[in-house]
C-alpha cells in the first residue's frame, strides 16, 4: 500500500521532504477550496522542486463541475506544472455517462502531453449528501474513460469519515471492482491509524491522508509533522507484516 500525503503549500511540502523515506506520493491540494480543492500552478511547480525527484507529485484538479472542456484544460495545467498524478473530483457529475465524458477529456489532454502520467478518477463516499455519482460506479467510470485509478474520498469535511458512509465490505467491493478492471484503488477520507488493518485486508493500493499526520489531527489548522508521517508509515508496515503472516498461515 502506497502512502499519499497532502500538504497545503510549499512550507508543508518541505516538512514532507523531511519525511520522504516514509511516504510515496506528495499530493498538492488546497483544502480551503474543498475536499479535492485545486492549488495554483506555481504552487505545484514549487512543491515539485521542494520534494525529492524520486517522489511523484500528485495534484488535484478540484471538486469539478460537469464541464468537460474546462476540466481537461485544468488537468493539462496540472501536468504542465509538474504533477505526474492527476486527480479529478467528479463532484458535479450526476450520472456515470457525465463522469466518463469528463474523464475521457482529462485522459486525452494529460496523456497527449505526457503519456506516462497517471490519471485518477475520484468520487465521494458521501455522494448521497451532494448528489453525485454512486461510489461503486467509480471503477467502471475509470475503466471506460481510460483512467489509471479509481479513488474515494469524502466531500464534506465535518468529522465524518470514509467508513461512516461506505462500510468496509463496500470498500472491499470497490477495491475488487477496481482490480478486476486493471486499475489501482485509492481510499481516503479522514483515515486514521485504526483503519489500516481494514484497508490492508481489503487490498487498498493507495491510502491518502492529511489530518492523521497533522498536529492535533486537524487537517485545517494543524500542520504536517514529519514524526507523525513516520509513525503512520510504521503502522502501515506493521499491518502489512501481520496481514502477510495471516495469509501465510491460512
Amino acid at each position: 500500500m502506497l502512502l499519499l500525503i497532502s500538504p497545503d503549500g510549499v512550507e508543508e511540502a518541505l516538512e514532507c521532504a523531511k519525511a520522504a523515506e516514509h511516504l510515496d506520493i506528495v499530493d498538492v491540494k488546497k483544502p480551503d477550496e474543498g475536499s479535492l480543492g485545486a492549488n495554483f500552478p506555481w504552487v505545484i511547480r514549487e512543491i515539485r522542486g521542494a520534494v525529492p525527484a524520486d517522489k511523484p507529485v500528485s495534484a488535484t484538479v478540484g471538486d469539478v463541475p460537469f464541464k468537460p472542456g474546462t476540466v481537461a484544460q485544468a488537468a493539462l495545467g496540472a501536468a504542465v506544472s509538474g504533477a505526474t498524478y492527476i486527480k479529478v473530483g467528479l463532484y458535479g457529475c450526476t450520472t456515470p455517462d457525465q463522469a466518463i465524458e469528463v474523464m475521457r477529456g482529462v485522459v486525452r489532454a494529460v496523456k497527449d502531453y505526457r503519456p506516462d502520467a497517471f490519471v485518477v478518477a475520484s468520487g465521494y463516499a458521501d455522494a448521497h449528501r451532494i448528489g453525485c455519482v454512486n461510489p461503486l460506479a467509480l471503477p467502471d467510470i475509470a475503466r471506460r474513460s481510460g483512467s489509471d485509478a479509481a479513488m474515494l474520498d469524502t466531500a464534506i469535511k465535518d468529522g465524518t469519515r470514509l467508513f461512516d458512509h461506505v462500510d468496509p465490505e463496500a470498500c472491499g467491493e470497490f477495491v475488487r471492482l477496481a482490480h478486476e478492471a486493471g486499475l489501482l484503488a485509492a481510499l481516503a477520507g479522514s483515515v486514521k491509524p485504526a483503519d489500516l488493518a481494514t484497508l490492508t485486508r481489503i487490498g487498498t493500493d493507495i491510502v491518502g491522508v492529511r489530518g492523521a499526520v497533522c498536529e492535533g489531527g486537524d487537517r485545517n489548522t494543524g500542520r504536517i509533522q514529519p514524526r507523525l508521517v513516520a509513525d503512520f508509515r510504521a503502522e502501515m508496515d506493521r499491518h502489512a507484516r501481520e496481514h502477510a503472516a495471516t495469509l501465510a498461515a491460512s
Side-chain angles (χ1 to χ4, degrees):
M1 190 157 61
L2 301 178
L3 176 58
L4 178 149
I5 303 287
S6 300
D8 66 359
V10 178
E11 181 181 337
E12 281 195 332
L14 291 171
E15 294 303 305
C16 288
K18 295 176 185 176
E21 66 184 292
H22 304 295
L23 58 88
D24 301 291
I25 305 165
V26 177
D27 182 54
V28 185
K29 64 171 59 172
K30 199 168 184 287
D32 62 1
E33 290 196 11
S35 169
L36 294 172
N39 216 317
F40 299 104
W42 50 89
V43 174
I44 298 173
R45 285 197 300 270
E46 289 178 27
I47 289 177
R48 173 63 282 174
V51 301
D54 63 339
K55 298 297 176 182
V57 167
S58 163
T60 55
V61 177
D63 297 309
V64 305
F66 175 55
K67 293 187 176 180
T70 299
V71 180
Q73 282 200 35
L76 176 59
V80 170
S81 300
T84 50
Y85 283 61
I86 311 297
K87 291 164 51 186
V88 181
L90 295 166
Y91 192 99
C93 296
T94 59
T95 68
D97 285 345
Q98 287 184 346
I100 291 165
E101 186 176 349
V102 168
M103 292 310 305
R104 280 178 174 163
V106 168
V107 168
R108 178 172 178 178
V110 168
K111 291 186 180 282
D112 278 355
Y113 172 75
R114 182 164 185 169
D116 64 340
F118 197 88
V119 177
V120 183
S122 300
Y124 304 92
D126 52 349
H128 59 284
R129 304 170 83 187
I130 58 174
C132 66
V133 291
N134 186 292
L136 291 181
L138 261 294
D140 191 56
I141 289 166
R143 178 188 65 82
R144 292 172 61 192
S145 63
S147 300
D148 301 290
M151 180 175 187
L152 286 184
D153 203 331
T154 50
I156 301 174
K157 301 297 185 181
D158 61 355
T160 59
R161 304 165 58 224
L162 173 70
F163 292 148
D164 292 332
H165 302 288
V166 179
D167 64 35
E169 289 69 30
C171 283
E173 177 70 359
F174 176 89
V175 172
R176 185 187 68 78
L177 291 170
H179 289 171
E180 284 185 354
L183 307 165
L184 294 186
L187 294 171
S190 299
V191 169
K192 307 296 184 188
D195 301 320
L196 288 171
T198 298
L199 293 171
T200 301
R201 175 180 58 80
I202 65 176
T204 310
D205 298 299
I206 302 171
V207 58
V209 301
R210 175 171 170 78
V213 296
C214 285
E215 193 170 18
D218 192 318
R219 74 187 297 271
N220 294 313
T221 62
R223 312 303 295 166
I224 289 175
Q225 302 294 317
R227 63 178 174 77
L228 296 178
V229 176
D231 290 347
F232 196 90
R233 167 61 78 179
E235 279 295 288
M236 286 178 62
D237 292 345
R238 180 175 71 83
H239 285 290
R241 289 194 299 271
E242 291 178 357
H243 184 61
T246 299
L247 292 177
S250 62

